[in-house]
Amino acid sequence: MKKQVSFYIILTIIFTALYITFAAKPLAKEYQFTPVWKISTANPAVTDYDGGSLMHFHLGQTLGYFTEDGKITAFQTFPDRASVSDFYYATYNAQSSDIPFFKSNGEQAGTIMASGYPFFQDDLIYVFLPGGSSFSKCDDSGKVAWTYEGVMPITAFAAKRLYTAAGFADGTIKVFNNQTGTVEVDYAPGGSDYPVILGLDISDDGQYVAAISGHNQQRFTLSRREESQQKILFHSFLSTDSPYRTLVHFCKNGNRVLYNYQGAVGIYDLRQNRNTIIPVKDKVISIKENEHFVYLLSKRESEYTVSVIEKTDTLEGSFSFTAQSAFISTDGTSLYIGKDSTISRISVSQE
């Protein structure tokens, strides 16, 4: 009897050892969100710019730049309108012409030699001309490099280093060479009863265009350039229609594209040919990335929500706050949240 008990004890020990060796898995890493600092933009103390990267903020009728350690290097109020990026800013009104614009360090960069509404995308400079159907691209001094003059209203716009894409009310999309201004691609995704381009983005190399278009039924399309034509690689009819402009965003690595429509965010993975739908109740107004996540800022009335999406296209969580104006920005492993008259930095780490 004792030998039989000993046998079972030894067998149990061996089984346990084998289970621990071959079946045990490491615990999944958890992400930690740690507040780092919080600063006020209400009459802030402005410090001298001493080099390094700057991030911009635009909250209500104020704009400026700040550093990763929480120093505000530029601050300005404005009475009417403004355009700002991490490289340039300008203030203007509906009747402005010959608009001076400034670098992030406060130095005047030049004068935009056109009448209209300036728009900065990183260090690219554009002017949307009166009437809403034409635009100009400017050089880094503000001089007009080339102009597209059309008759159909521009309803969506995307700019990258080599190419610019514009979508129009008649459902067409044009891709422009940034050096020459020539139209290299001109196509219409189609597929809906009432054509209109409501959102689009273009990949960094200009080969892929993603767009949301049409009414009844609205759809998302992803196309690839083949010579001077665009071939649609993927399309999906959306479950809801919306008459409003929306966001389409290629991720930095070019492997995923996000698109927002009423009640959801879609994520298409180009490598795996996989389309994932994530419920998001509010309208997405900003999409940012850092090393770990994609962050969505959505809004409904005065409630803002930050949603956090992991690289596996899963929603890791969200949090909401009330504000009159807000923004999000990212840098390395940090998330920055602007709310009315404050900016907060949150560090994101794995443990």
Side-chain angles (χ1 to χ4, degrees):
M1 184 65 179
K2 289 183 179 180
K3 290 183 179 181
Q4 188 175 13
V5 172
S6 299
F7 171 77
Y8 284 119
I9 292 174
I10 294 172
L11 184 63
T12 300
I13 293 173
I14 294 174
F15 176 80
T16 302
L18 291 174
Y19 179 83
I20 292 173
T21 302
F22 295 103
K25 297 181 180 180
L27 294 174
K29 293 183 178 179
E30 294 184 354
Y31 291 99
Q32 301 295 324
F33 292 77
T34 306
V36 179
W37 50 252
K38 183 177 182 179
I39 57 176
S40 173
T41 60
N43 298 315
V46 177
T47 62
D48 292 335
Y49 173 70
D50 57 1
S53 61
L54 294 173
M55 290 163 281
H56 73 275
F57 67 88
H58 181 183
L59 291 168
Q61 297 302 120
T62 66
L63 64 83
Y65 293 87
F66 64 96
T67 65
E68 63 180 359
D69 57 357
K71 297 178 182 178
I72 294 179
T73 61
F75 175 81
Q76 181 174 335
T77 61
F78 55 93
D80 200 346
R81 306 179 186 184
S83 180
V84 58
S85 75
D86 284 348
F87 292 84
Y88 300 120
Y89 73 91
T91 61
Y92 62 97
N93 58 45
Q95 291 78 41
S96 293
S97 62
D98 296 337
I99 304 166
F101 69 103
F102 301 84
K103 299 178 182 179
S104 58
N105 63 7
E107 297 177 359
Q108 183 168 340
T111 301
I112 297 174
M113 306 300 291
S115 299
Y117 307 103
F119 171 73
F120 305 118
Q121 177 64 51
D122 296 328
D123 60 348
L124 302 176
I125 305 168
Y126 298 87
V127 182
F128 291 100
L129 305 180
S133 58
S134 305
F135 70 94
S136 296
K137 186 179 184 301
C138 301
D139 63 19
D140 57 9
S141 69
K143 181 180 178 181
V144 172
W146 53 263
T147 298
Y148 167 77
E149 295 182 346
V151 297
M152 196 60 58
I154 299 169
T155 54
F157 192 82
K160 296 294 173 65
R161 174 68 53 190
L162 300 176
Y163 296 95
T164 298
F168 299 86
D170 64 352
T172 60
I173 295 174
K174 301 181 189 297
V175 178
F176 302 84
N177 183 301
N178 278 356
Q179 293 297 316
T180 63
T182 56
V183 178
E184 294 194 359
V185 173
D186 188 347
Y187 79 107
S192 304
D193 289 347
Y194 305 102
V196 60
I197 307 301
L198 295 171
L200 84 160
D201 197 10
I202 187 169
S203 61
D204 288 340
D205 60 5
Q207 298 305 300
Y208 294 89
V209 176
I212 288 182
S213 61
H215 289 287
N216 193 30
Q217 280 188 304
Q218 212 160 84
R219 71 171 184 160
F220 167 77
T221 56
L222 174 71
S223 62
R224 181 180 62 205
R225 186 186 302 198
E226 295 187 356
E227 296 182 354
S228 62
Q229 303 295 320
Q230 288 292 122
K231 178 181 179 181
I232 293 180
L233 303 178
F234 174 82
H235 85 96
S236 175
F237 286 105
L238 308 182
S239 59
T240 57
D241 274 15
S242 172
Y244 303 109
R245 292 181 182 179
T246 188
L247 290 183
V248 179
H249 172 79
F250 274 98
C251 290
K252 293 177 181 178
N253 58 17
N255 294 327
R256 295 189 298 169
V257 57
L258 283 75
Y259 57 97
N260 174 228
Y261 61 98
Q262 188 173 345
V265 165
I267 306 174
Y268 183 74
D269 190 313
L270 282 72
R271 295 171 302 177
Q272 302 184 38
N273 191 27
R274 182 185 67 199
N275 192 48
T276 303
I277 303 299
I278 297 176
V280 174
K281 63 180 181 179
D282 302 328
K283 178 179 174 58
V284 176
I285 60 174
S286 181
I287 300 174
K288 299 293 182 180
E289 304 172 58
N290 69 6
E291 294 182 9
H292 299 306
F293 298 111
V294 173
Y295 300 91
L296 312 177
L297 180 65
S298 57
K299 179 185 180 183
R300 181 173 56 180
E301 297 180 348
S302 60
E303 181 179 78
Y304 290 84
T305 298
V306 178
S307 301
V308 185
I309 297 176
E310 218 267 343
K311 293 180 180 179
T312 56
D313 298 341
T314 56
L315 181 64
E316 292 292 319
S318 63
F319 57 90
S320 300
F321 56 89
T322 301
Q324 296 302 309
S325 61
F327 76 89
I328 59 172
S329 186
T330 55
D331 180 26
T333 60
S334 293
L335 168 67
Y336 301 88
I337 300 175
K339 174 186 174 184
D340 290 338
S341 60
T342 63
I343 302 173
S344 301
R345 176 185 173 185
I346 300 173
S347 176
V348 183
S349 60
Q350 269 187 343
E351 292 187 358

